[in-house]
Amino acid sequence: MSQPLNTTGVHHHAHHFDSADHEFQASKQGMWIFMVTEVLMIGAIFVGYLIMRARYPEAFHEAHKLLNVKLGALNTAVLILSSYTMVRGVSAAQRGNNKLTIRMLMTTIALALVFCVVKYFEYSHKIHEGTLPGGNYTYAELSMPHVPLFFSFYFIMTGIHAFHVLVGIGLMTWMIKRVKSGEITPEFFTPVELVGFYWHFVDLVWIYLFPLLYLLG
Amino acid sequence: MSHSNTATLSNEIHGDNYLNHSKGLKSWLTTLDHKRIGLMYLATVLFFFLLGGIFALIMRLNLMSYGHPVVDANTYNKLMTFHGAIMVFLVIIPAIPGAIGNFVLPMMCGAKDVAFPRLNLASYYIYLFGALFATAALIGGGVDTGWTFYTPYSIRTSGPVILVLLGAFIAGFASILTGLNFIVTLHKLRAPGQSWSRLPLLCWALYATSIIQVLATPVLAITLVLLMMERVFKIGIFDPALGGDPILFQHFFWFYSHPAVYIMILPAMGVFSEIIPVFSRKPIFGYRAIALASFGIALVAFIVWGHHLFVSGQSELANFIFSLLTMFVAVPTGVKVFSWVGTMYKGSIRFNAPMLYAFGFIELFTIGGLTGVFLATLAIDVHMTDTYFVIAHFHYVMVGGSIMGLVGGMHYWFPKVTGRMYNETIAKWSFGFIIFGFNLTFFPQFIAGSQGMPRRYWSQLPEFDLWNRLSTVGSWFLAVGFVMVAYDMIRSARKGPIAGPNPWEALTLEWQTPSPPPHENFIETPVVTSWPYEYKPSRG
Ligand SMILES: [Cu+2]
């Protein structure tokens, strides 16, 4: 994986790299490592969830019925579609088709916003009926020990995911700005590619969250 | 590999180095130069080392004799918490990677900088930001949870617990980014000829450290987030009153905090793997073994956390497995210790300060490591849990290991960083004070602990008075030693004799360039043609 330092680079790259490709490879590796960090962070809470679920299967089973599977499925579809538009955006950036890149990034942002709106309705419904984490749980129709724990995990896990979605929207907006400034070319598209990478990760986390929370009986 | 002559010549012509390359406070605060960022890390780490050290001195004073407390019990609990949290999260974890690693690692690779200089600067500010939160908690009345934040106490106790948690959470990201940066730097920015098998052992040690930083720190991050949520939203995951499990917190916490011990110790091992061959004038013994042992330690680090839960009600089978696995840590560690001793064997040893610290390190770390094997033994640990034996054990590892590595490394690279020599006489005396003071402080704690003296207590029984007095007096010697180091370094940085590019006649790349190094580290990119440990008894 090591790259001998032979100075042939002509494109946009920082002084300690010898070529744009060298820099791109380094950035990509850095992003992979960051993703591993994210996996460990989210992985820990998944493990906590699975432990508690194994301990209190009835409570978690009853609790999961209170989630809206239709809305969850809708959001899954929305995110999968957004991954597709992101792929098209990145490939357009690689080919230097800035117009298409911007259009695809905007579509992806729109889909991300749809996700957020659906999530907002889900959350506000839960707040309304009182199916809330731990000590805040007030839903009278299902009062079983450890049910509130399910909603603790539900809110934390989907909350962390939603936070990542919001960060993704911010990153994509920034990318649109950079594409518009003409900075992104077929020789230098690293930022767009890495944001795409990030976005797929965010989608992938949801692909795990959806069955784990909404479907698993 | 001798570029030093041309390099010096060129430097004399240009007179440009990283210190005078650009001027003014702003040029420091916005610098992307890994060397300057390393120094900023060092200054901040040392400031918090002073703060945490003062807390420790007050605690020791409080315990000096039965019935004569210096602070009230509440204050004592807060001092204990901040001493621990500051020393772990703000001093030892960032110290060697952030300061020495940042300065030296890119140069050892033959690179102009780390892979992501901007991220490197960001990492420093994230660390500083985290430190400010912790400081705010200190000013805002203090916290009495202990640095481990065990639930449910940490959920219920009053005080700005959230600020400390936020501080540790934020500082954790600095650690992750440093690790990420180092891994990519090592993979992508090695100079021509700098193959993996020629990489200095400090780089290998920092690589293994980085892996732990990247993999373990996020688990701490999420755990701290959950704990904050406990306090803010009563989520109850760790709260037995709400159906949660406080032991789950301990599992999560130690899944990070045990490997964190190796974030602290591996870099120090790396530092001494450089110092020992240079001052023994002999090729390092067991290069490959030392490099691999770092990864062995990093690997085992992840599967032993349960030894912190031996008395928590963990199942006996789990206790047995964790006990056994913990003992495996001793194997790669032993490989390293024997390799260092093997390097010194029949070498022509120079007794400069860095080498003295290496001796001190081997002594203290061996005691710390072996008492770790005691504690890994279930039958002993059940009795020793929460006694001063544990305190003494981990101070031998953390201070005797990591801080020795930091101070030893600061002496070793001082001429490279400043271009001047420290004062060898003061350095030797200060080492004497430190090693004497350290043993006087902590060895009595082994004895008192084995007799059952409990940790975390504000007041101890009169039968432990002798040990407590010795320990407190020891802490003064230790403090004097560190003050002498500080005095010497501050003075020598301005007034010390000019060191020249390579005063130790070392072979690693950072010494093959002027001192202080130029802005881009090397006048021309070095080409590596040999292994960096081919030392001969008398050279030049
Ligand atoms: Cu441990």
Side-chain angles (χ1 to χ4, degrees):
Chain A
M1 288 249 264
S2 75
Q3 310 247 331
L5 297 177
N6 47 357
T7 12
T8 51
V10 281
H11 301 299
H12 172 107
H13 63 271
H15 75 127
H16 54 298
F17 291 106
D18 30 277
S19 68
D21 183 57
H22 187 202
E23 182 168 24
F24 175 58
Q25 295 304 332
S27 305
K28 228 163 58 170
Q29 191 184 38
M31 195 66 187
W32 269 107
I33 297 169
F34 180 68
M35 288 294 106
V36 170
T37 294
E38 288 268 28
V39 167
L40 264 292
M41 181 154 107
I42 293 167
I45 183 112
F46 270 62
V47 167
Y49 170 77
L50 290 173
I51 289 171
M52 288 303 195
R53 178 174 193 101
R55 239 185 245 178
Y56 313 113
E58 299 89 359
F60 274 52
H61 178 75
E62 290 307 316
H64 103 281
K65 288 184 190 163
L66 299 176
L67 298 184
N68 190 328
V69 182
K70 277 181 195 150
L71 290 182
L74 172 65
N75 259 349
T76 310
V78 167
L79 282 192
I80 290 174
L81 190 60
S82 80
S83 252
Y84 169 72
T85 55
M86 182 51 108
V87 168
R88 290 203 53 193
V90 172
S91 94
Q94 288 168 343
R95 282 177 284 112
N97 188 343
N98 283 357
K99 245 189 192 160
L100 186 62
T101 308
I102 290 170
R103 203 181 326 134
M104 282 300 142
L105 283 173
M106 281 182 161
T107 319
T108 313
I109 290 176
L111 289 167
L113 288 172
V114 170
F115 177 90
C116 291
V117 169
V118 172
K119 209 71 226 154
Y120 168 78
F121 280 115
E122 277 192 270
Y123 279 163
S124 52
H125 179 65
K126 299 242 152 357
I127 292 166
H128 179 72
E129 63 177 15
T131 41
L132 288 169
N136 301 299
Y137 186 88
T138 54
Y139 187 58
E141 274 150 72
L142 181 64
S143 58
M144 200 175 161
H146 303 114
V147 163
L149 218 49
F150 175 85
F151 288 98
S152 300
F153 280 105
Y154 169 78
F155 273 98
I156 296 279
M157 291 163 97
T158 56
I160 288 174
H161 178 261
F163 172 76
H164 280 84
V165 171
L166 293 178
V167 170
I169 292 174
L171 289 173
M172 287 186 275
T173 313
W174 181 37
M175 284 310 115
I176 290 174
K177 215 182 125 218
R178 289 182 77 168
V179 174
K180 276 184 181 161
S181 77
E183 198 190 329
I184 305 297
T185 61
E187 285 78 38
F188 178 72
F189 50 82
T190 314
V192 179
E193 173 135 350
L194 297 189
V195 169
F197 195 12
Y198 170 86
W199 190 250
H200 296 315
F201 170 78
V202 173
D203 292 351
L204 193 66
V205 171
W206 181 260
I207 301 290
Y208 281 94
L209 279 179
F210 175 61
L212 218 52
L213 291 169
Y214 289 76
L215 300 181
L216 212 64
Chain B
M1 214 163 60
S2 180
H3 287 274
S4 41
N5 286 341
T6 48
T8 320
L9 191 67
S10 182
N11 192 47
E12 272 161 14
I13 296 163
H14 300 295
D16 174 64
N17 65 51
Y18 78 102
L19 293 169
N20 65 17
H21 182 73
S22 52
K23 288 195 170 61
L25 184 65
K26 199 180 158 226
S27 79
W28 277 83
L29 296 180
T30 58
T31 184
L32 298 180
D33 186 334
H34 66 100
K35 300 181 286 305
R36 285 186 168 199
I37 294 171
L39 286 187
M40 283 153 69
Y41 254 114
L42 184 67
T44 319
V45 160
L46 291 178
F47 169 78
F48 282 103
F49 182 63
L50 177 68
L51 197 63
I54 290 171
F55 293 166
L57 286 172
I58 300 173
M59 281 154 71
R60 273 318 323 157
L61 211 56
N62 186 73
L63 294 171
M64 189 166 172
S65 55
Y66 174 75
H68 297 283
V70 178
V71 292
D72 62 75
N74 251 328
T75 310
Y76 183 85
N77 289 347
K78 289 171 185 170
L79 288 171
M80 178 192 82
T81 303
F82 279 94
H83 168 71
I86 286 176
M87 288 304 202
V88 169
F89 295 116
L90 302 181
V91 179
I92 305 183
I93 287 180
I96 299 184
I100 295 179
N102 246 329
F103 196 100
V104 176
L105 180 132
M107 299 183 76
M108 282 185 157
C109 292
K112 289 180 181 145
D113 209 315
V114 291
F116 311 114
R118 228 169 272 279
L119 205 62
N120 199 18
L121 183 65
S123 139
Y124 171 74
Y125 280 110
I126 291 169
Y127 160 69
L128 192 65
F129 198 53
L132 288 180
F133 271 96
T135 314
L138 189 62
I139 295 165
V143 170
D144 66 349
T145 58
W147 80 275
T148 52
F149 311 117
Y150 269 20
T151 54
Y153 186 74
S154 56
I155 304 175
R156 311 231 195 288
T157 184
S158 59
V161 180
I162 291 187
L163 287 180
V164 186
L165 295 174
L166 259 178
F169 173 80
I170 295 168
F173 282 95
S175 178
I176 292 173
L177 295 181
T178 302
L180 186 155
N181 228 331
F182 284 180
I183 294 176
V184 179
T185 307
L186 287 167
H187 273 278
K188 302 291 183 194
L189 292 183
R190 282 172 291 119
Q194 185 66 303
S195 60
W196 287 111
S197 57
R198 286 177 187 159
L199 206 59
L201 287 164
L202 176 62
C203 294
W204 280 113
L206 285 170
Y207 194 157
T209 309
S210 301
I211 291 177
I212 306 178
Q213 286 174 302
V214 164
L215 294 183
T217 318
V219 176
L220 176 75
I222 192 74
T223 309
L224 297 178
V225 167
L226 289 176
L227 189 47
M228 287 183 249
M229 295 291 163
E230 292 284 354
R231 284 185 73 95
V232 183
F233 296 116
K234 292 184 271 181
I235 56 168
I237 292 173
F238 300 137
D239 189 347
L242 294 170
D245 185 354
I247 303 299
L248 186 64
F249 174 83
Q250 295 185 21
H251 278 289
F252 277 167
F253 183 82
W254 289 111
F255 183 84
Y256 165 75
S257 293
H258 184 80
V261 174
Y262 302 109
I263 298 178
M264 305 183 211
I265 197 69
L266 283 172
M269 291 170 155
V271 166
F272 290 117
S273 301
E274 297 305 325
I275 290 175
I276 288 169
V278 171
F279 291 90
S280 302
R281 310 314 302 165
K282 253 186 74 191
I284 186 107
F285 180 85
Y287 169 86
R288 204 169 280 260
I290 295 177
L292 286 176
S294 287
F295 289 89
I297 292 172
L299 185 76
V300 182
F302 280 99
I303 49 175
V304 300
W305 78 90
H307 62 221
H308 295 273
L309 288 89
F310 282 163
V311 297
S312 71
Q314 186 174 245
S315 81
E316 270 169 34
L317 177 67
N319 276 354
F320 163 72
I321 292 171
F322 279 122
S323 170
L324 185 72
L325 289 173
T326 301
M327 292 187 190
F328 281 126
V329 180
V331 177
T333 311
V335 165
K336 287 198 176 199
V337 172
F338 288 122
S339 294
W340 294 322
V341 175
T343 306
M344 288 187 235
Y345 179 66
K346 287 189 174 171
S348 44
I349 294 176
R350 298 176 185 171
F351 292 89
N352 296 79
M355 192 59 174
L356 295 183
Y357 280 96
F359 292 139
F361 169 79
I362 293 177
E363 186 249 331
L364 303 181
F365 182 73
T366 304
I367 295 176
L370 287 177
T371 50
V373 180
F374 288 23
L375 290 172
T377 312
L378 275 169
I380 294 179
D381 185 77
V382 169
H383 294 282
M384 295 296 185
T385 293
D386 284 343
T387 68
Y388 263 77
F389 193 90
V390 178
I391 302 277
H393 154 67
F394 73 71
H395 280 86
Y396 265 83
V397 175
M398 289 184 189
V399 185
S402 311
I403 298 295
M404 284 284 160
L406 177 68
V407 181
M410 279 165 65
H411 281 92
Y412 178 59
W413 282 290
F414 187 86
K416 181 51 61 184
V417 172
T418 62
R420 292 171 186 275
M421 271 316 259
Y422 61 82
N423 183 311
E424 195 66 58
T425 313
I426 303 180
K428 281 181 177 152
W429 275 99
S430 55
F431 169 76
F433 271 90
I434 289 173
I435 193 86
F436 176 74
F438 180 86
N439 282 303
L440 189 58
T441 307
F442 292 103
F443 206 83
Q445 297 185 4
F446 275 129
I447 300 166
S450 67
Q451 292 171 358
M453 186 167 102
R455 68 189 280 197
R456 301 201 185 95
Y457 281 31
W458 162 66
S459 173
Q460 297 288 2
L461 291 173
E463 60 249 47
F464 300 120
D465 255 8
L466 171 64
W467 306 125
N468 276 321
R469 263 183 215 158
L470 287 175
S471 184
T472 304
V473 173
S475 71
W476 302 337
F477 278 91
L478 197 50
V480 169
F482 285 125
V483 169
M484 284 166 74
V485 171
Y487 166 79
D488 179 19
M489 294 210 160
I490 291 168
R491 192 178 145 276
S492 300
R494 282 174 299 139
K495 295 189 179 153
I498 300 292
N502 191 1
W504 309 126
E505 299 171 293
L507 297 175
T508 42
L509 283 178
E510 81 274 24
W511 298 103
Q512 318 310 321
T513 190
S515 312
H519 173 62
E520 291 195 328
N521 294 344
F522 302 96
I523 309 287
E524 50 190 291
T525 302
V527 177
V528 183
T529 52
S530 66
W531 194 55
Y533 296 108
E534 286 303 343
Y535 293 106
K536 289 176 191 76
S538 59
R539 204 174 147 268

